[in-house]
Amino acid sequence: MKARICSTSKSGSTLVLSQDKDIDLIELEQLLESVGWTRRPIKLVRCALEHSLFKVGIWRHDRRIPRLLGFARCTGDGVIEATVWDVAVHPHYQGIGLGSALMKYVIDTLKVTGVERVNLFADPDVLNFYIQQGWELEPKNRRCAFCYSA
Amino acid sequence: MKARICSTSKSGSTLVLSQDKDIDLIELEQLLESVGWTRRPIKLVRCALEHSLFKVGIWRHDRRIPRLLGFARCTGDGVIEATVWDVAVHPHYQGIGLGSALMKYVIDTLKVTGVERVNLFADPDVLNFYIQQGWELEPKNRRCAFCYSA
């Protein structure tokens, strides 16, 4: 499973989900900035993407002016643990199912590799988005999430 | 930074922290089982370790009968995000600073690679252990942790 046509009729154009198409790193950082995140040095982003299990983009399908509308990437060992990062859909294209399509693509891809448990950290304003898609909010008397600023 | 002598006087023998020494996978699963986790297929564990950024073991330093007393491993992209997994110290050797030494080694190793933020999921009974070492419990109005059983 590599590319997938995104079947939403509301966007006004054909959208393609793919993990093979090259990611323009400046375009990626612009996308992440559009959802409120701070830009990161391009050199770091390039290295991070190279060392990810895979990355998925949603593009507006236009040969002359393709545009990155959504993105997600995944790190992990590929068999036991996987973590999803940098999930974003451009604000102009939110509410038409692109986020769901993106996360379904990510989960389907991980199922092929055999990973049983997938983790992610989400901003508080998108909790319902993940809960509606079957993600379980931690902690559930089971695992507590920590972070450490090195 | 590869190997480090663990300077605790309470263990009764010299302990060595190292990320170079080969991990016996059956011994690793026995260690993780000793702290209450379910054993995993050795084939999966081998693959997961191969695809980790690094793994650290604590060994009782005995050339004839070395013994794995502690373990941790890390996945991630190596520059932006890192996640620590499988942190364990054998119950017979808990309470003498091995867990702290292990986590310090992990953080020091990640600092060298430049990763700024490290994540982990902890069982509820070890919350204080991480809090005392400066780890921040999520969510802090900032990020909420999710998991998904694929």
Side-chain angles (χ1 to χ4, degrees), chain A residues 40 44 47-48 51 73 75-77 79-81 83 85 107 111 115-124 127 130-131 133-138 141-150, chain B residues 44 47-48 51 73 75-77 79-81 83 85 107 111 115-124 127 130-131 133-138 141-150:
Chain A
R40 307 161 296 186
L44 279 192
C47 188
H51 291 88
R73 71 182 173 100
T75 64
D77 54 44
V79 286
I80 295 178
E81 304 287 358
T83 313
W85 305 103
I107 295 294
K111 274 183 181 166
V115 169
E116 289 182 0
R117 192 172 55 192
V118 191
N119 309 280
L120 67 77
F121 294 95
D123 291 336
L127 291 196
Y130 289 106
I131 289 168
Q133 290 184 56
W135 288 75
E136 187 183 358
L137 186 61
E138 304 274 7
N141 299 320
R142 200 163 48 86
R143 300 192 311 162
C144 300
F146 280 95
C147 81
Y148 188 96
S149 300
Chain B
L44 280 192
C47 188
H51 292 87
R73 70 183 175 100
T75 64
D77 55 44
V79 287
I80 295 179
E81 303 288 358
T83 313
W85 306 102
I107 295 294
K111 274 183 180 166
V115 169
E116 289 181 1
R117 191 172 56 190
V118 191
N119 310 279
L120 68 78
F121 293 95
D123 291 334
L127 291 197
Y130 289 106
I131 290 168
Q133 290 183 57
W135 288 75
E136 187 182 359
L137 186 60
E138 304 275 6
N141 299 321
R142 197 164 47 88
R143 301 191 311 163
C144 300
F146 280 94
C147 79
Y148 189 96
S149 300

Coordinates of all heavy atoms in Angstrom, one line a residue, chain A residues 40 44 47-48 51 73 75-77 79-81 83 85 107 111 115-124 127 130-131 133-138 141-150, chain B residues 44 47-48 51 73 75-77 79-81 83 85 107 111 115-124 127 130-131 133-138 141-150:
Chain A
R40 N 11.0 24.3 12.7 CA 12.2 23.7 13.2 C 13.3 23.9 12.1 O 13.0 24.0 10.9 CB 11.9 22.2 13.5 CG 10.7 22.0 14.4 CD 10.2 20.6 14.3 NE 9.6 20.3 13.0 CZ 9.0 19.2 12.8 NH1 8.8 18.3 13.7 NH2 8.5 18.9 11.6
L44 N 17.5 19.6 10.7 CA 17.0 18.7 11.7 C 15.8 17.9 11.1 O 15.7 16.7 11.3 CB 16.5 19.4 13.0 CG 17.5 19.8 14.0 CD1 16.8 20.2 15.3 CD2 18.5 18.6 14.3
C47 N 16.8 15.2 8.7 CA 17.4 14.1 9.4 C 16.3 13.2 10.1 O 16.3 12.0 10.0 CB 18.4 14.6 10.4 SG 19.3 13.2 11.2
A48 N 15.3 14.0 10.7 CA 14.2 13.3 11.4 C 13.4 12.5 10.4 O 13.0 11.3 10.7 CB 13.4 14.3 12.1
H51 N 15.1 9.3 9.3 CA 15.1 8.3 10.3 C 13.7 7.9 10.9 O 13.6 7.3 12.0 CB 16.0 8.7 11.5 CG 17.5 8.8 11.1 ND1 18.0 9.9 10.5 CD2 18.4 7.8 11.1 CE1 19.3 9.6 10.2 NE2 19.6 8.4 10.6
R73 N 4.0 11.4 10.3 CA 5.2 10.5 10.2 C 5.2 9.6 11.4 O 4.6 9.9 12.4 CB 6.5 11.2 10.0 CG 7.0 12.0 11.2 CD 8.3 12.7 10.9 NE 8.6 13.5 12.1 CZ 9.6 13.2 13.0 NH1 10.2 12.1 12.9 NH2 9.8 14.0 14.0
T75 N 7.7 7.0 13.9 CA 9.0 6.4 14.3 C 8.7 5.1 15.2 O 7.6 4.9 15.5 CB 9.8 7.4 15.2 OG1 9.1 7.6 16.4 CG2 10.1 8.7 14.5
G76 N 9.8 4.4 15.5 CA 9.6 3.2 16.3 C 10.5 2.1 15.8 O 11.4 2.3 14.9
D77 N 10.3 0.9 16.4 CA 11.2 -0.2 16.0 C 10.5 -1.0 14.9 O 11.1 -2.0 14.4 CB 11.5 -1.1 17.3 CG 10.2 -1.5 18.0 OD1 9.3 -1.9 17.3 OD2 10.2 -1.5 19.3
V79 N 8.1 -3.2 14.9 CA 7.5 -4.5 15.2 C 6.7 -4.5 16.5 O 5.7 -5.1 16.7 CB 8.5 -5.6 15.2 CG1 8.9 -6.0 13.8 CG2 9.7 -5.3 16.0
I80 N 7.3 -3.8 17.5 CA 6.6 -3.8 18.9 C 6.0 -2.4 19.2 O 4.9 -2.3 19.5 CB 7.6 -4.2 20.0 CG1 8.0 -5.7 19.8 CG2 6.9 -4.0 21.3 CD1 9.0 -6.2 20.8
E81 N 6.8 -1.3 19.0 CA 6.4 0.0 19.3 C 6.4 0.9 18.1 O 7.4 0.9 17.4 CB 7.2 0.6 20.5 CG 7.3 -0.3 21.7 CD 5.9 -0.2 22.5 OE1 5.0 0.5 22.1 OE2 5.9 -0.9 23.6
T83 N 5.4 5.2 17.1 CA 4.8 6.5 17.6 C 4.6 7.4 16.4 O 5.5 7.5 15.5 CB 5.8 7.1 18.6 OG1 6.3 6.2 19.6 CG2 5.2 8.3 19.4
W85 N 4.0 11.1 14.8 CA 4.4 12.5 15.1 C 3.9 13.4 13.9 O 3.7 13.0 12.8 CB 5.9 12.7 15.2 CG 6.6 11.8 16.2 CD1 7.3 10.6 15.9 CD2 6.6 11.9 17.6 NE1 7.8 10.1 17.0 CE2 7.4 10.8 18.1 CE3 6.1 12.9 18.5 CZ2 7.7 10.7 19.4 CZ3 6.4 12.7 19.8 CH2 7.1 11.6 20.3
I107 N -2.5 3.9 10.3 CA -2.8 2.6 11.0 C -2.7 1.4 10.0 O -2.1 0.4 10.4 CB -4.2 2.7 11.6 CG1 -4.2 3.8 12.7 CG2 -4.6 1.3 12.2 CD1 -3.4 3.5 13.9
K111 N -0.3 -1.8 10.4 CA -0.8 -3.1 10.5 C -0.1 -4.1 9.6 O 0.2 -5.2 10.0 CB -2.3 -3.1 10.1 CG -3.3 -2.8 11.3 CD -4.7 -2.9 10.9 CE -5.7 -2.5 12.0 NZ -7.0 -2.3 11.5
V115 N 3.0 -4.1 13.8 CA 3.0 -3.4 15.1 C 1.6 -3.5 15.7 O 0.6 -3.2 15.1 CB 3.4 -1.9 14.9 CG1 3.2 -1.1 16.1 CG2 4.9 -1.8 14.5
E116 N 1.6 -3.8 17.0 CA 0.3 -4.0 17.7 C -0.1 -2.8 18.4 O -1.3 -2.6 18.6 CB 0.5 -5.2 18.7 CG 0.6 -6.5 18.0 CD 0.6 -7.6 19.0 OE1 0.6 -7.4 20.2 OE2 0.7 -8.8 18.5
R117 N 0.8 -1.9 18.9 CA 0.4 -0.8 19.6 C 1.1 0.5 19.1 O 2.3 0.5 18.8 CB 0.9 -0.9 21.1 CG 0.3 0.1 22.0 CD 0.6 -0.2 23.5 NE 2.0 -0.4 23.7 CZ 2.6 -0.9 24.8 NH1 1.8 -1.3 25.8 NH2 3.9 -1.0 24.9
V118 N 0.2 1.5 18.9 CA 0.7 2.7 18.3 C 0.5 3.8 19.3 O -0.6 3.9 20.0 CB 0.0 3.1 17.0 CG1 0.6 4.2 16.3 CG2 -0.1 1.8 16.1
N119 N 1.4 4.7 19.4 CA 1.3 5.8 20.4 C 1.4 7.2 19.7 O 2.0 7.3 18.7 CB 2.5 5.7 21.4 CG 2.6 4.4 22.0 OD1 1.9 4.0 22.9 ND2 3.5 3.6 21.5
L120 N 0.8 8.2 20.3 CA 1.0 9.5 19.9 C 0.7 10.5 21.0 O 0.0 10.2 21.9 CB 0.1 9.8 18.6 CG -1.4 9.9 18.7 CD1 -1.9 11.2 19.3 CD2 -1.9 9.8 17.2
F121 N 1.2 11.7 20.8 CA 0.9 12.8 21.7 C 0.1 13.8 20.9 O 0.5 14.2 19.8 CB 2.2 13.4 22.3 CG 2.9 12.5 23.2 CD1 4.0 11.8 22.7 CD2 2.6 12.4 24.5 CE1 4.7 10.9 23.5 CE2 3.3 11.6 25.4 CZ 4.4 10.8 24.9
A122 N -1.0 14.3 21.5 CA -1.9 15.2 20.8 C -2.1 16.5 21.6 O -2.1 16.4 22.9 CB -3.3 14.5 20.6
D123 N -2.3 17.5 20.9 CA -2.7 18.8 21.6 C -4.1 18.6 22.1 O -4.9 17.9 21.6 CB -2.6 20.0 20.6 CG -1.2 20.3 20.2 OD1 -0.3 20.0 20.9 OD2 -1.0 20.8 19.0
P124 N -4.4 19.3 23.3 CA -5.7 19.1 23.9 C -6.9 19.5 23.0 O -8.0 18.9 23.2 CB -5.6 20.1 25.1 CG -4.1 20.3 25.4 CD -3.5 20.2 24.0
L127 N -8.5 16.3 21.1 CA -8.7 15.1 21.8 C -9.9 14.3 21.1 O -9.8 13.1 20.9 CB -9.1 15.3 23.2 CG -7.9 15.9 24.1 CD1 -8.3 15.7 25.6 CD2 -6.6 15.2 23.8
Y130 N -9.2 12.2 18.0 CA -8.6 10.9 18.2 C -9.5 9.9 18.9 O -9.6 8.7 18.5 CB -7.3 11.0 18.9 CG -6.2 11.7 18.1 CD1 -5.8 13.0 18.3 CD2 -5.6 11.0 17.0 CE1 -4.9 13.6 17.5 CE2 -4.7 11.5 16.2 CZ -4.3 12.9 16.4 OH -3.4 13.4 15.6
I131 N -10.3 10.4 19.9 CA -11.2 9.5 20.6 C -12.2 8.9 19.6 O -12.5 7.7 19.7 CB -11.9 10.3 21.8 CG1 -10.8 10.5 22.9 CG2 -13.0 9.5 22.3 CD1 -11.3 11.5 23.9
Q133 N -11.9 8.2 16.7 CA -11.3 7.2 15.8 C -10.8 6.0 16.5 O -10.1 5.1 15.9 CB -10.2 7.8 15.0 CG -10.7 8.8 14.0 CD -9.5 9.4 13.1 OE1 -8.8 8.6 12.5 NE2 -9.4 10.7 13.2
G134 N -11.1 5.9 17.8 CA -10.8 4.6 18.5 C -9.5 4.7 19.3 O -9.0 3.7 19.9
W135 N -8.9 5.9 19.3 CA -7.7 6.0 20.1 C -8.1 6.1 21.6 O -9.1 6.7 22.0 CB -6.9 7.2 19.7 CG -6.2 7.1 18.4 CD1 -6.8 7.1 17.2 CD2 -4.8 6.9 18.2 NE1 -5.9 7.0 16.2 CE2 -4.6 6.8 16.7 CE3 -3.7 6.7 19.0 CZ2 -3.4 6.6 16.2 CZ3 -2.5 6.5 18.4 CH2 -2.3 6.4 17.0
E136 N -7.2 5.5 22.5 CA -7.5 5.5 23.9 C -6.6 6.5 24.6 O -5.4 6.5 24.5 CB -7.2 4.1 24.4 CG -7.6 3.8 25.8 CD -7.2 2.4 26.2 OE1 -6.6 1.7 25.4 OE2 -7.4 2.1 27.4
L137 N -7.3 7.4 25.4 CA -6.5 8.4 26.1 C -5.8 7.8 27.3 O -6.4 7.1 28.1 CB -7.5 9.5 26.5 CG -6.9 10.8 27.2 CD1 -5.9 11.5 26.2 CD2 -8.0 11.7 27.6
E138 N -4.5 8.1 27.4 CA -3.8 7.7 28.6 C -3.9 8.8 29.7 O -4.1 9.9 29.4 CB -2.3 7.6 28.3 CG -2.0 6.6 27.1 CD -1.9 5.2 27.6 OE1 -2.2 4.9 28.8 OE2 -1.5 4.3 26.8
N141 N -5.1 3.8 34.1 CA -4.6 3.0 35.2 C -3.5 2.0 34.7 O -3.3 1.0 35.3 CB -5.7 2.1 35.8 CG -6.8 3.0 36.4 OD1 -6.5 4.0 37.0 ND2 -8.1 2.6 36.2
R142 N -2.9 2.3 33.6 CA -2.0 1.4 33.0 C -0.7 2.0 32.6 O 0.3 1.6 33.1 CB -2.7 0.9 31.7 CG -2.2 -0.4 31.2 CD -3.2 -1.0 30.2 NE -3.6 -0.1 29.2 CZ -3.0 0.2 28.1 NH1 -1.9 -0.4 27.8 NH2 -3.5 1.1 27.2
R143 N -0.8 3.1 31.9 CA 0.5 3.7 31.5 C 0.3 5.2 31.7 O -0.7 5.8 31.3 CB 0.9 3.4 30.0 CG 1.0 1.9 29.8 CD 1.6 1.7 28.4 NE 1.0 2.5 27.4 CZ 1.5 2.7 26.2 NH1 2.7 2.4 25.9 NH2 0.8 3.4 25.3
C144 N 1.4 5.8 32.2 CA 1.4 7.3 32.3 C 2.4 7.8 31.4 O 3.6 7.3 31.3 CB 1.6 7.7 33.7 SG 0.4 7.1 34.8
A145 N 2.1 8.9 30.7 CA 3.1 9.5 29.7 C 4.0 10.5 30.4 O 3.5 11.3 31.2 CB 2.4 10.1 28.5
F146 N 5.2 10.5 30.1 CA 6.2 11.5 30.6 C 6.9 12.1 29.4 O 7.1 11.4 28.4 CB 7.2 10.8 31.5 CG 6.7 10.5 32.9 CD1 6.2 9.3 33.2 CD2 6.8 11.5 33.9 CE1 5.8 9.0 34.5 CE2 6.4 11.3 35.2 CZ 5.9 10.0 35.5
C147 N 7.4 13.3 29.6 CA 8.4 13.8 28.7 C 9.5 14.4 29.5 O 9.4 14.8 30.7 CB 7.8 14.8 27.7 SG 7.6 16.4 28.3
Y148 N 10.7 14.6 28.9 CA 11.9 15.1 29.5 C 12.5 16.0 28.5 O 12.8 15.7 27.4 CB 12.8 13.9 29.9 CG 14.0 14.3 30.7 CD1 13.9 14.2 32.1 CD2 15.1 14.8 30.1 CE1 15.0 14.5 32.9 CE2 16.2 15.2 30.9 CZ 16.1 15.0 32.3 OH 17.2 15.4 33.1
S149 N 12.8 17.2 29.0 CA 13.5 18.2 28.1 C 15.0 18.0 28.4 O 15.5 18.5 29.5 CB 13.0 19.6 28.4 OG 11.7 19.7 28.1
A150 N 15.7 17.4 27.5 CA 17.1 17.1 27.7 C 18.0 18.3 27.6 O 17.6 19.3 27.1 CB 17.6 16.1 26.7
Chain B
L44 N 10.5 -11.1 17.5 CA 10.0 -9.7 17.6 C 11.0 -8.9 18.3 O 11.4 -7.8 17.9 CB 8.6 -9.6 18.2 CG 7.4 -9.9 17.4 CD1 6.2 -9.4 18.1 CD2 7.5 -9.3 16.0
C47 N 14.2 -8.1 16.4 CA 13.9 -7.1 15.4 C 13.8 -5.7 16.0 O 14.3 -4.7 15.5 CB 12.7 -7.5 14.6 SG 12.4 -6.5 13.1
A48 N 13.0 -5.7 17.1 CA 12.8 -4.4 17.8 C 14.1 -3.8 18.3 O 14.4 -2.6 18.1 CB 11.9 -4.6 19.0
H51 N 16.2 -2.3 15.5 CA 15.7 -1.1 15.0 C 15.5 0.0 16.1 O 14.7 1.0 15.9 CB 14.3 -1.3 14.3 CG 14.5 -2.1 13.0 ND1 14.5 -3.5 13.0 CD2 14.7 -1.7 11.7 CE1 14.7 -3.9 11.8 NE2 14.8 -2.9 11.0
R73 N 15.8 0.8 26.3 CA 16.2 1.1 24.9 C 15.4 2.3 24.4 O 14.4 2.7 25.1 CB 15.8 -0.2 24.1 CG 14.4 -0.5 23.9 CD 14.2 -1.7 23.0 NE 12.8 -2.1 23.0 CZ 12.0 -1.8 21.9 NH1 12.4 -1.2 20.9 NH2 10.7 -2.1 22.0
T75 N 13.8 4.4 20.9 CA 13.5 4.5 19.5 C 13.3 6.0 19.2 O 13.2 6.9 20.1 CB 12.2 3.8 19.1 OG1 11.1 4.4 19.8 CG2 12.3 2.3 19.5
G76 N 13.2 6.3 17.9 CA 12.9 7.7 17.5 C 13.7 8.1 16.3 O 14.3 7.2 15.6
D77 N 13.7 9.4 15.9 CA 14.4 9.8 14.7 C 15.8 10.3 15.0 O 16.5 10.6 14.1 CB 13.6 10.9 14.0 CG 13.2 12.1 14.9 OD1 14.1 12.5 15.7 OD2 12.1 12.6 14.9
V79 N 17.0 13.0 16.3 CA 17.3 14.4 16.3 C 16.2 15.3 16.9 O 16.4 16.2 17.6 CB 17.6 14.9 14.9 CG1 19.0 14.5 14.5 CG2 16.6 14.5 13.9
I80 N 14.9 14.9 16.7 CA 13.8 15.7 17.2 C 13.0 14.9 18.3 O 12.8 15.4 19.4 CB 12.8 16.1 16.1 CG1 13.6 17.0 15.1 CG2 11.6 16.8 16.7 CD1 12.7 17.5 13.9
E81 N 12.7 13.7 18.0 CA 11.9 12.9 19.0 C 12.6 11.6 19.4 O 13.1 10.9 18.5 CB 10.5 12.6 18.4 CG 9.7 13.8 17.9 CD 9.1 14.6 19.1 OE1 9.3 14.2 20.2 OE2 8.5 15.6 18.8
T83 N 11.9 8.1 22.2 CA 11.0 7.5 23.1 C 11.7 6.3 23.8 O 12.4 5.6 23.1 CB 9.7 7.0 22.5 OG1 9.2 8.0 21.6 CG2 8.7 6.6 23.5
W85 N 11.8 2.9 26.0 CA 11.0 1.7 26.2 C 11.7 0.7 27.1 O 12.9 0.7 27.2 CB 10.6 1.0 24.9 CG 10.0 1.9 23.9 CD1 10.7 2.4 22.8 CD2 8.7 2.3 23.8 NE1 9.8 3.2 22.0 CE2 8.5 3.1 22.6 CE3 7.5 2.1 24.6 CZ2 7.3 3.7 22.2 CZ3 6.3 2.7 24.2 CH2 6.2 3.5 23.0
I107 N 19.6 9.5 29.1 CA 19.5 11.0 28.8 C 20.9 11.5 28.3 O 20.9 12.3 27.4 CB 19.1 11.7 30.1 CG1 17.7 11.3 30.5 CG2 19.2 13.3 29.9 CD1 16.6 11.7 29.6
K111 N 21.5 13.3 24.8 CA 22.0 14.7 24.7 C 23.1 14.8 23.7 O 23.2 15.8 23.0 CB 22.5 15.1 26.1 CG 21.5 15.7 27.0 CD 22.1 16.2 28.3 CE 21.0 16.8 29.2 NZ 21.5 16.9 30.6
V115 N 19.0 15.3 20.7 CA 17.5 15.2 20.8 C 17.1 16.1 22.0 O 17.7 16.1 23.1 CB 17.1 13.8 21.1 CG1 15.6 13.7 21.6 CG2 17.2 12.9 19.9
E116 N 16.1 16.9 21.8 CA 15.7 17.9 22.8 C 14.6 17.4 23.8 O 14.5 17.8 24.9 CB 15.3 19.2 22.2 CG 16.4 20.0 21.6 CD 16.0 21.3 21.0 OE1 14.8 21.6 21.1 OE2 16.8 22.0 20.4
R117 N 13.8 16.5 23.2 CA 12.7 16.0 24.0 C 12.6 14.5 24.0 O 12.7 13.9 22.9 CB 11.3 16.6 23.5 CG 10.2 16.4 24.4 CD 9.0 17.1 23.9 NE 8.6 16.8 22.5 CZ 7.8 17.4 21.7 NH1 7.2 18.5 22.2 NH2 7.5 17.0 20.5
V118 N 12.4 13.9 25.2 CA 12.4 12.5 25.3 C 11.1 12.1 25.9 O 10.6 12.8 26.8 CB 13.6 12.0 26.2 CG1 13.7 10.5 26.1 CG2 14.9 12.7 25.8
N119 N 10.5 11.1 25.4 CA 9.2 10.6 25.9 C 9.3 9.2 26.4 O 10.1 8.4 26.0 CB 8.1 10.6 24.8 CG 8.2 12.0 24.0 OD1 7.6 12.9 24.5 ND2 8.9 12.0 22.9
L120 N 8.4 8.9 27.4 CA 8.3 7.5 27.8 C 6.9 7.3 28.4 O 6.2 8.2 28.8 CB 9.4 7.1 28.7 CG 9.5 7.6 30.1 CD1 8.5 7.0 31.1 CD2 10.9 7.4 30.7
F121 N 6.5 6.0 28.4 CA 5.3 5.6 29.1 C 5.7 4.8 30.3 O 6.5 3.9 30.2 CB 4.3 4.8 28.2 CG 3.8 5.6 27.0 CD1 4.4 5.6 25.8 CD2 2.7 6.4 27.2 CE1 3.9 6.3 24.8 CE2 2.2 7.2 26.2 CZ 2.8 7.1 24.9
A122 N 5.1 5.1 31.5 CA 5.5 4.4 32.7 C 4.3 3.8 33.4 O 3.2 4.3 33.3 CB 6.1 5.4 33.7
D123 N 4.5 2.7 34.0 CA 3.5 2.1 34.9 C 3.2 3.0 36.0 O 4.1 3.7 36.5 CB 3.9 0.7 35.4 CG 4.0 -0.3 34.2 OD1 3.3 -0.1 33.2 OD2 4.8 -1.3 34.3
P124 N 1.9 3.0 36.5 CA 1.5 4.0 37.6 C 2.4 3.8 38.9 O 2.5 4.8 39.6 CB 0.1 3.6 37.8 CG -0.4 3.0 36.6 CD 0.8 2.3 36.0
L127 N 5.6 6.2 39.1 CA 5.5 7.6 38.8 C 6.5 8.5 39.5 O 7.2 9.3 38.9 CB 4.1 8.2 39.1 CG 2.9 7.6 38.3 CD1 1.7 8.5 38.4 CD2 3.3 7.6 36.8
Y130 N 10.2 8.6 38.2 CA 10.4 9.5 37.1 C 10.3 11.0 37.5 O 11.1 11.9 37.1 CB 9.5 9.2 35.9 CG 9.9 7.9 35.3 CD1 9.2 6.8 35.5 CD2 11.1 7.8 34.5 CE1 9.6 5.5 34.9 CE2 11.5 6.6 34.0 CZ 10.7 5.5 34.1 OH 11.1 4.3 33.6
I131 N 9.3 11.3 38.3 CA 9.1 12.7 38.8 C 10.3 13.2 39.5 O 10.8 14.3 39.3 CB 7.8 12.8 39.6 CG1 6.6 12.6 38.7 CG2 7.8 14.2 40.4 CD1 5.3 12.4 39.5
Q133 N 13.3 12.4 39.1 CA 14.4 12.6 38.2 C 14.2 13.7 37.2 O 14.9 13.9 36.2 CB 14.8 11.3 37.5 CG 15.3 10.3 38.4 CD 15.7 9.1 37.7 OE1 16.5 9.1 36.7 NE2 15.2 8.0 38.0
G134 N 13.1 14.5 37.4 CA 12.9 15.6 36.5 C 12.0 15.4 35.3 O 11.8 16.3 34.5
W135 N 11.4 14.2 35.2 CA 10.5 14.0 34.1 C 9.1 14.6 34.5 O 8.7 14.7 35.6 CB 10.2 12.5 34.0 CG 11.4 11.7 33.4 CD1 12.6 11.4 34.0 CD2 11.6 11.3 32.0 NE1 13.4 10.8 33.2 CE2 12.8 10.7 31.9 CE3 10.8 11.3 30.9 CZ2 13.3 10.1 30.8 CZ3 11.2 10.7 29.7 CH2 12.5 10.2 29.7
E136 N 8.5 15.1 33.4 CA 7.2 15.9 33.6 C 6.1 15.0 33.2 O 6.1 14.4 32.1 CB 7.3 17.1 32.7 CG 6.2 18.1 32.8 CD 6.3 19.2 31.8 OE1 7.3 19.3 31.1 OE2 5.4 20.1 31.8
L137 N 5.1 14.8 34.1 CA 4.0 14.0 33.8 C 3.0 14.7 32.8 O 2.7 15.8 33.0 CB 3.2 13.6 35.1 CG 2.1 12.6 35.0 CD1 2.5 11.3 34.5 CD2 1.5 12.5 36.4
E138 N 2.6 14.0 31.8 CA 1.6 14.5 30.8 C 0.2 14.1 31.3 O 0.1 13.1 32.1 CB 1.8 13.9 29.4 CG 3.2 14.0 28.8 CD 3.3 15.4 28.1 OE1 2.4 16.2 28.2 OE2 4.4 15.6 27.5
N141 N -1.6 20.5 30.1 CA -2.3 21.4 29.2 C -1.7 21.6 27.9 O -1.8 22.6 27.2 CB -2.4 22.8 29.9 CG -3.2 22.7 31.2 OD1 -4.2 22.0 31.3 ND2 -2.7 23.5 32.2
R142 N -0.9 20.6 27.5 CA 0.0 20.8 26.4 C -0.2 19.6 25.4 O -0.5 19.7 24.3 CB 1.4 20.9 26.9 CG 2.3 21.6 25.9 CD 3.6 22.0 26.6 NE 4.1 21.0 27.4 CZ 5.0 20.0 27.1 NH1 5.4 20.0 25.8 NH2 5.4 19.2 27.9
R143 N 0.1 18.4 26.0 CA 0.1 17.3 25.1 C -0.7 16.2 25.9 O -0.5 16.0 27.1 CB 1.5 16.8 24.7 CG 2.3 17.8 24.0 CD 3.5 17.2 23.4 NE 4.2 16.4 24.4 CZ 5.1 15.5 24.2 NH1 5.4 15.2 22.9 NH2 5.8 14.8 25.1
C144 N -1.5 15.4 25.2 CA -2.2 14.3 25.8 C -1.7 13.0 25.1 O -1.6 13.0 23.8 CB -3.7 14.4 25.7 SG -4.3 15.9 26.5
A145 N -1.5 12.0 25.8 CA -0.9 10.8 25.3 C -2.1 9.9 24.9 O -3.1 9.7 25.6 CB 0.0 10.1 26.2
F146 N -2.0 9.2 23.7 CA -2.9 8.3 23.2 C -2.2 7.0 22.8 O -1.0 7.0 22.5 CB -3.6 8.8 22.0 CG -4.7 9.8 22.2 CD1 -4.4 11.1 22.2 CD2 -6.0 9.3 22.4 CE1 -5.5 12.1 22.4 CE2 -7.0 10.3 22.7 CZ -6.8 11.6 22.6
C147 N -3.0 5.9 22.9 CA -2.4 4.7 22.3 C -3.5 4.1 21.5 O -4.7 4.3 21.7 CB -1.8 3.7 23.3 SG -3.0 2.8 24.2
Y148 N -3.2 3.2 20.5 CA -4.1 2.6 19.6 C -3.7 1.1 19.5 O -2.5 0.9 19.2 CB -4.1 3.3 18.3 CG -5.1 2.9 17.3 CD1 -6.3 3.6 17.2 CD2 -5.0 1.7 16.5 CE1 -7.3 3.2 16.3 CE2 -6.0 1.3 15.6 CZ -7.1 2.1 15.6 OH -8.1 1.7 14.7
S149 N -4.6 0.2 19.7 CA -4.3 -1.2 19.5 C -4.7 -1.5 18.1 O -5.8 -1.6 17.8 CB -5.0 -2.0 20.5 OG -4.7 -1.7 21.8
A150 N -3.7 -1.7 17.3 CA -3.9 -1.9 15.8 C -4.4 -3.3 15.5 O -4.3 -4.2 16.3 CB -2.6 -1.6 15.0

